[in-house]
Amino acid sequence: MNVKHLVFIVNKFSRNGGSIISKLERVMPLFECTYDVHITRYPKHATELSESLVKERKQDSIIVAVGGDGTLNEVLTGLLNADSKPLTPLAYIPIGSGNDFARSLQLSFNLKESIHKIINTTSSTYLDVLIGESNSGNIVAVNSIGVGLDGMVINSLEKNKNKQRIGKFSYLASVISAYFSQKTFSLEILTDKGTYTYKQSLLAVCTNNTFFGGGIPIHPNALSTDGMVDLVIAEKVSFFELLTILFSILTNQKHLQHKKLHSYRTAFCNLTITPSQYGQHDGELISQKVDQLSVKTIKHPFFI
């Protein structure tokens, strides 16, 4: 595919979104490629934009999400909603706060380098996307879908409007704070390997990439190309055990060897959560507390 036109969907509310328009105006004349810029103006606007732009897209153009993981998620959701055949490829320029998708795939954070790579990519790379079904509706994620402690963290960050400042260390500090509020819950799990029950759970997260929470390697061996869901369960731990686990995450990434952490690689997982818990997908709060969650993967084309 010879890319001749880029369609940017820009989240101007992301960490560096305020200056990205002027940067695009300076950089794009360096390339023999035309472009349009569409700016998001309210939550979920990127989904509306991408869904409508698919219908207008020409074969030599690429839709480019410009923002953080949340923006990428919204744009991808719009493409999936459009249900185009063949599937519409998606490119991404990371300028947000978390950028876990870019970090996991080692994408460039330099605007000029990112655009050069997109324009000179000749074919799509098919990556796994997490598709969830829950009592709150359908869920899409490029990185993770989780309930419990991580949902509590995102709920707290959204209430305090601190998400734009999120990073690895600030997220871990939020985990420590949320630990004292998070009550344990019962978890019944069905996978292609069998059924499992945990009576005192703190966290259940389905991962598709190594990182979540702004650079935390929640599952160092997770891959977005293997067609599998990597499920991580955390049982109730003491505060000292929590600190030990967090230290391991930051240093040797051997935290999954801890006796209170469990991981499963599975083609799908069905979770029953009692009582219902806050949930998150790609760092965005799920609209209502979750008590039922089913997750699998599908393939989607990316220009990366």
Side-chain angles (χ1 to χ4, degrees), residues 104 132 170 190 198 221:
S104 294
S170 58
L190 171 65
Y198 296 97
N221 298 319

Side-chain angles (χ1 to χ4, degrees), residues 147 185-188 204 271-277 290-293:
V147 296
F185 56 93
S186 174
L187 190 60
E188 295 181 11
L271 310 181
T272 300
I273 303 125
T274 309
S276 59
Q277 298 292 311
V290 179
D291 57 28
Q292 296 286 335
L293 177 63

Side-chain angles (χ1 to χ4, degrees), residues 195-254:
T195 58
Y196 311 90
T197 300
Y198 296 97
K199 294 297 185 182
Q200 290 190 305
S201 306
L202 283 177
L203 167 78
V205 58
C206 300
T207 67
N208 191 41
N209 280 312
T210 299
F211 297 99
F212 87 152
I216 298 170
I218 184 64
H219 198 306
N221 298 319
L223 296 171
S224 58
T225 55
D226 61 0
M228 306 296 279
V229 178
D230 284 289
L231 174 63
V232 177
I233 307 298
E235 293 187 271
K236 181 180 179 180
V237 293
S238 68
F239 184 62
F240 177 76
E241 286 178 309
L242 174 65
L243 295 179
T244 300
I245 291 169
L246 296 182
F247 180 77
S248 179
I249 288 174
L250 291 173
T251 55
N252 56 24
Q253 285 87 59
K254 293 183 178 180

